[in-house]
Amino acid sequence: MALLSAIEPKPKKIFTKHLYNSEHDDCMIDRLIELPEELLYRILCPLSLKEVVRTSVVSRKWRDLWQFFSGSLNFDASKTLMLDPKKLLNERDGYVEWVTRILNSLKAETIDELRVCFDLTLQHRTYIDRWIEIALMKKVKRLELDFKPHRLSDRTDSGNYWLARKLRGSSEISLLTSLCLKHVDVSGQVLESFLSNCPLLETLHVSHSKQLTQINVGGTSLRLKHLHISYCECIKSIEVYAPNLVCFEYSGEEMQAMHIDLKYVPQLCDVSYGGEWDPTIDVHGRLFPSCLETCLSQLVNLSLNFRFWLSWMLPLEHPKFPNLRYLACEVRNLVSPGSGVLLNLLPLVERMPLLHRLKVEVEIRETQIVKTVGEVGELLWYWEADLYRGKQHKMLREVEMVGFVGAQVDIRFLYVLSHRAVNLDSIAINPWNADADADADADAGAGAGAGAGAGAGAGEQQVKEATKFAHDLLLQYRPQTAKFLLL
């Protein structure tokens, strides 16, 4: 099986012929044997586990040296899954046997990292518990469990692995610096126990946990710098009191029901926020939650991601971001494409006087592709009024639009923005990619997905032509901009 043979040392004929065909070669091998073990460990330390195992063919002394490997144990085989669901069970058995054999053979006293990434379920709990125990006994620093189900997996909603409660009381967890749990069920109590018993923990990442309902991250001595919570469908509350927190990321469903309280985060400068926002539920929806109001002045990087976005979702009184340098906005299922909804971003940009780079990623639906210069000429008189409604921006240098299809809404946005940003150096136009959207929808089990979009109806060639047209149009009407890039 591919998984079992992935790191098995198999001497090749070329090695046999070259290393063992003369007495001089035997002398060379003997010299390798004479090297002190400390030097050998230093040679092998920067290598991956797979590379270390391959070195076992070089010398008799090196044959079992891989067992003393103390670097990163990366068991990521998620891309090797078979498409046939009938073979998935065999693949799981092979993966479990592979990881178990390697971990049981290790003789190193410490390891830096353990990554286990495969479609495993609650049925493999005994093995997974043992892997974690071995890693903790070897004073692991970074631990990642990613049990993302394959799209043809037979896993049920109750089939996720539960992080064992007994592990939270283990004394060895005190050396953890990073804990990443994906598609692992874990309670808030267990996470809080990890936080209180891991004084060195700097990164906590939890995603797709079906049992997490709330989490309280707090403590004056907490070293935590990166906190990521995403798509935990039952979570309702997050409270954070973290004096060293630098980066906070949250995304999920039913965001209107979420309560996030950033009580004390004086070092926070990087925020990513977004997810499923249903405009039919919250007709007074606001793009910026109240939890961010206390730290807007200190943000340097901000990423916003919303599945639904209407023209009235921005608050009338935009907040101020005096130190923001980078803004990324990802919007899917854009509604009312002809109304210039993207222009609602421009007043927000005006409240970011130091903004240097802007990235906008959109999915535009149910719209018409602009095809001719004459068609644009008829719209320019209407767009000209937009140029003078807002303020000029002197610091914005780079703009990138991802998902461009050549519709009125995205051409209009780029046209107006290029005039208001008087010192703009470049605009990168990244056209909509039908193949990428189809792959993403297939992985998510969404079926046709992007087929309902405007780009799907227009066709990839038409989008390319529209992109080239927009590129030439911007050069014609905004020649002072240094360059426009087609990605």
Side-chain angles (χ1 to χ4, degrees):
M1 185 175 293
L3 290 175
L4 294 176
S5 61
I7 63 172
E8 291 291 343
K10 294 183 178 179
K12 298 182 180 179
K13 292 184 179 180
I14 185 173
F15 278 102
T16 304
K17 180 178 180 181
H18 179 70
L19 293 177
Y20 300 103
N21 65 351
S22 69
E23 295 179 359
H24 297 287
D25 292 327
D26 289 337
C27 293
M28 181 187 69
I29 296 176
D30 290 338
R31 291 175 184 174
L32 289 174
I33 294 176
E34 293 173 358
L35 291 175
E37 290 189 356
E38 292 183 2
L39 179 57
L40 295 180
Y41 294 153
R42 290 187 179 183
I43 295 174
L44 298 180
C45 186
L47 303 179
S48 67
L49 177 61
K50 187 174 182 178
E51 292 170 334
V52 170
V53 173
R54 285 176 174 175
T55 64
S56 61
V57 300
V58 175
S59 164
R60 291 190 299 272
K61 187 173 183 178
W62 285 30
R63 186 172 302 163
D64 298 321
L65 197 62
W66 67 270
Q67 298 177 5
F68 295 90
F69 180 72
S70 61
S72 175
L73 299 176
N74 187 356
F75 298 105
D76 185 356
S78 55
K79 294 183 179 180
T80 67
L81 284 173
M82 305 295 290
L83 295 179
D84 186 353
K86 295 180 181 179
K87 297 182 179 180
L88 180 58
L89 293 177
N90 292 332
E91 291 289 340
R92 283 174 176 158
D93 293 340
Y95 181 87
V96 169
E97 181 182 346
W98 174 48
V99 177
T100 300
R101 185 175 70 250
I102 297 299
L103 290 179
N104 286 337
S105 301
L106 285 179
K107 299 179 181 178
E109 295 183 359
T110 63
I111 57 175
D112 289 335
E113 179 181 27
L114 174 63
R115 296 186 71 239
V116 181
C117 307
F118 203 71
D119 180 359
L120 299 180
T121 69
L122 188 61
Q123 295 178 350
H124 306 93
R125 178 169 183 169
T126 302
Y127 297 100
I128 299 172
D129 285 350
R130 178 56 183 164
W131 299 342
I132 298 175
E133 289 177 355
I134 292 176
L136 293 179
M137 285 189 297
K138 295 183 179 297
K139 303 176 177 62
V140 65
K141 297 177 182 178
R142 301 183 301 277
L143 176 63
E144 178 177 347
L145 305 177
D146 183 357
F147 302 142
K148 179 181 179 180
H150 188 261
R151 61 190 179 96
L152 297 178
S153 177
D154 57 351
R155 188 188 308 182
T156 62
D157 290 341
S158 60
N160 283 353
Y161 167 77
W162 265 84
L163 187 63
R165 291 179 176 271
K166 62 179 180 180
L167 297 177
R168 65 178 181 175
S170 175
S171 59
E172 290 86 357
I173 69 172
S174 60
L175 297 177
L176 274 179
T177 61
S178 175
L179 177 62
C180 181
L181 305 173
K182 301 179 180 179
H183 298 271
V184 173
D185 284 343
V186 59
S187 67
Q189 287 183 330
V190 172
L191 288 179
E192 291 168 18
S193 180
F194 268 97
L195 289 170
S196 61
N197 290 284
C198 300
L200 303 180
L201 193 68
E202 295 186 353
T203 300
L204 177 61
H205 182 126
V206 182
S207 67
H208 297 87
S209 172
K210 298 180 182 298
Q211 303 299 325
L212 186 62
T213 58
Q214 62 180 15
I215 178 173
N216 188 348
V217 179
T220 56
S221 60
L222 199 63
R223 189 177 291 191
L224 193 67
K225 294 182 178 180
H226 307 275
L227 176 62
H228 178 116
I229 307 293
S230 63
Y231 290 96
C232 300
E233 59 187 39
C234 296
I235 192 167
K236 300 298 181 183
S237 173
I238 300 176
E239 295 186 3
V240 182
Y241 187 100
N244 296 303
L245 191 69
V246 174
C247 177
F248 173 71
E249 299 180 48
Y250 173 79
S251 57
E253 301 176 357
E254 299 182 1
M255 296 177 60
Q256 292 91 337
M258 266 299 301
H259 172 73
I260 301 178
D261 188 0
L262 302 179
K263 292 183 176 181
Y264 184 66
V265 284
Q267 304 297 324
L268 185 64
C269 62
D270 191 340
V271 168
S272 178
Y273 181 85
E276 303 285 350
W277 190 297
D278 189 349
T280 62
I281 297 177
D282 186 3
V283 295
H284 300 292
R286 298 182 61 207
L287 186 57
F288 298 98
S290 58
C291 68
L292 298 181
E293 293 179 356
T294 58
C295 59
L296 294 182
S297 62
Q298 63 197 55
L299 294 184
V300 176
N301 303 301
L302 176 63
S303 297
L304 301 170
N305 179 347
F306 293 96
R307 294 300 177 121
F308 291 91
W309 194 5
L310 300 181
S311 58
W312 38 259
M313 282 192 68
L314 285 169
L316 297 177
E317 193 64 34
H318 297 296
K320 295 181 180 180
F321 300 80
N323 292 302
L324 200 73
R325 303 311 200 268
Y326 172 70
L327 173 64
C329 294
E330 182 178 349
V331 185
R332 289 184 176 271
N333 300 339
L334 195 64
V335 182
S336 303
S339 64
V341 61
L342 280 177
L343 295 185
N344 286 284
L345 269 180
L346 297 179
L348 181 63
V349 171
E350 293 175 5
R351 310 288 279 186
M352 304 172 179
L354 298 183
L355 187 67
H356 182 84
R357 184 172 176 229
L358 172 65
K359 180 179 179 180
V360 180
E361 185 171 352
V362 296
E363 179 184 319
I364 302 174
R365 293 175 177 265
E366 300 177 1
T367 189
Q368 296 296 322
I369 305 299
V370 177
K371 300 178 180 179
T372 66
V373 176
E375 185 178 349
V376 174
E378 296 175 358
L379 297 170
L380 285 180
W381 67 270
Y382 175 62
W383 293 354
E384 288 291 333
D386 295 326
L387 303 181
Y388 307 104
R389 290 174 182 168
K391 300 178 182 179
Q392 291 184 341
H393 200 292
K394 297 182 179 180
M395 299 300 294
L396 188 59
R397 298 284 184 173
E398 302 176 25
V399 173
E400 179 182 358
M401 173 170 280
V402 180
F404 182 88
V405 297
Q408 289 186 21
V409 58
D410 45 17
I411 293 180
R412 180 183 180 187
F413 173 75
L414 292 179
Y415 176 76
V416 175
L417 181 62
S418 65
H419 280 75
R420 291 193 189 178
V422 293
N423 294 315
L424 193 64
D425 288 335
S426 66
I427 293 180
I429 301 175
N430 197 332
W432 173 80
N433 189 328
D435 294 335
D437 274 4
D439 292 342
D441 287 334
D443 290 339
E460 185 174 352
Q461 183 60 34
Q462 187 174 356
V463 171
K464 289 181 179 179
E465 294 175 358
T467 304
K468 180 62 168 60
F469 168 73
H471 172 270
D472 297 340
L473 176 71
L474 290 172
L475 283 180
Q476 176 181 352
Y477 288 98
R478 189 69 169 86
Q480 61 269 42
T481 300
K483 57 183 176 179
F484 293 90
L485 307 177
L486 288 174
L487 302 181

